[in-house]
Amino acid sequence: MKTYKTDGDFADNYKFLIGSILPRPIAVISTLNIDGSNNLAPFSFFTAISAQPMIIAFCPMIRSSDGEMKDTVKNILREKEFVLNFCTEDNYEKINLTSTELSYGEDEFKFSGLTPIDSQLIKSKRLKESPIHFECVFRDMLCYGKTPGSGSLITGEVKLVHIDESIMKDGKIVTDLFKPVGRGTGNDWFKTDGRFQLERLTKSQIQK
Ligand SMILES: Cc1cc2nc3c(=O)[nH]c(=O)nc-3n(C[C@H](O)[C@H](O)[C@H](O)COP(=O)(O)O)c2cc1C
């Protein structure tokens, strides 16, 4: 087994992270730019945190090209809100385009051919091509550095959940209808059709 220290270049550590922690779900975060235009970007360092209050988290890093905070972060710190949209087999190619580094204020919805629709509680737009939307109010931000590759953790409290009824059955989201897509290492992406079932057993069932 080869052992590595993590005090070197961020790019090496980044490869260890994306090669080890996978498949990763993809948060597609929509925010409002200062001029009222829209911003959209995908983040695969992303997870659920709490059910009540309903909290999610994602992790934007400092941009390696110019050492600045990403546009998503600037917008969330100013507007205190964002929409979490989801990446599926029907939208992933366009979602990939939204990760292009555009000048601040350039609208990734327009750039990638995606459609913004109004939210109910907040000003940030929802992504029409996503079958699920979470309207979120900013909760916390933890920053782990100011240099390229340094990450941060942003949490949001989900105030409203919108779900396309066509992906639901008996009040639950059906994975085969939702068709979420995830991220791997390098240029790898994942579909979620290679699933298997495994029952979670109680101690008494195991000891029978
Ligand atoms: C599928 C995918 C997942 C990504 N995940 C992250 C991530 O977790 N953290 C991050 O900082 N950048 C991530 N990126 C890169 C950002 O999307 C990219 O830097 C984008 O330009 C940020 O946009 P913004 O400046 O409008 O916020 C990812 C890109 C792709 C295609």
Side-chain angles (χ1 to χ4, degrees), residues 33 37-40 102-103 105-112 116:
N33 293 322
S37 61
N38 299 309
N39 193 87
L40 191 67
L102 303 179
S103 309
E106 255 191 275
D107 183 335
E108 286 90 359
F109 280 94
K110 282 189 190 146
F111 180 77
S112 56

Side-chain angles (χ1 to χ4, degrees), residues 186-200:
N187 287 329
D188 285 351
W189 292 61
F190 286 92
K191 289 185 180 176
T192 39
D193 53 3
R195 303 189 306 279
F196 59 94
Q197 303 284 308
L198 183 64
E199 198 185 338
R200 186 169 165 183

Side-chain angles (χ1 to χ4, degrees), residues 12-26 43-47 59 61 182-186 188-190:
D12 292 324
N13 294 344
Y14 180 72
K15 281 183 215 152
F16 299 144
L17 289 169
I18 63 167
S20 311
I21 303 172
L22 77 182
R24 297 184 304 282
I26 300 170
F43 295 90
S44 71
F45 289 19
F46 156 53
T47 196
C59 302
M61 284 179 276
R183 192 74 199 274
T185 190
D188 285 351
W189 292 61
F190 286 92

Side-chain angles (χ1 to χ4, degrees), residues 6 42 50 68 72 74 86 90 94 104 110-111 114 118 125 137 146 154 199 205:
T6 58
S50 167
E68 293 280 321
T72 299
K74 292 178 194 161
F86 291 82
D90 297 326
K94 288 181 176 173
Y104 183 79
K110 282 189 190 146
F111 180 77
L114 291 163
D118 283 345
K125 301 289 180 184
V137 171
K146 291 186 173 154
I154 291 186
E199 198 185 338
Q205 283 173 310

Side-chain angles (χ1 to χ4, degrees), residues 43-114:
F43 295 90
S44 71
F45 289 19
F46 156 53
T47 196
I49 301 285
S50 167
Q52 188 59 272
M54 187 170 169
I55 310 269
I56 57 87
F58 70 99
C59 302
M61 284 179 276
I62 296 289
R63 234 169 7 216
S64 48
S65 58
D66 60 4
E68 293 280 321
M69 280 192 293
K70 298 202 174 180
D71 299 347
T72 299
V73 183
K74 292 178 194 161
N75 289 343
I76 291 174
L77 291 178
R78 189 186 60 254
E79 302 291 336
K80 314 287 185 218
E81 54 158 63
F82 59 92
V83 178
L84 166 59
N85 307 278
F86 291 82
C87 190
T88 72
E89 284 181 38
D90 297 326
N91 66 21
Y92 68 87
E93 278 173 307
K94 288 181 176 173
I95 299 291
N96 191 33
L97 297 180
T98 70
S99 72
T100 311
E101 211 177 282
L102 303 179
S103 309
Y104 183 79
E106 255 191 275
D107 183 335
E108 286 90 359
F109 280 94
K110 282 189 190 146
F111 180 77
S112 56
L114 291 163

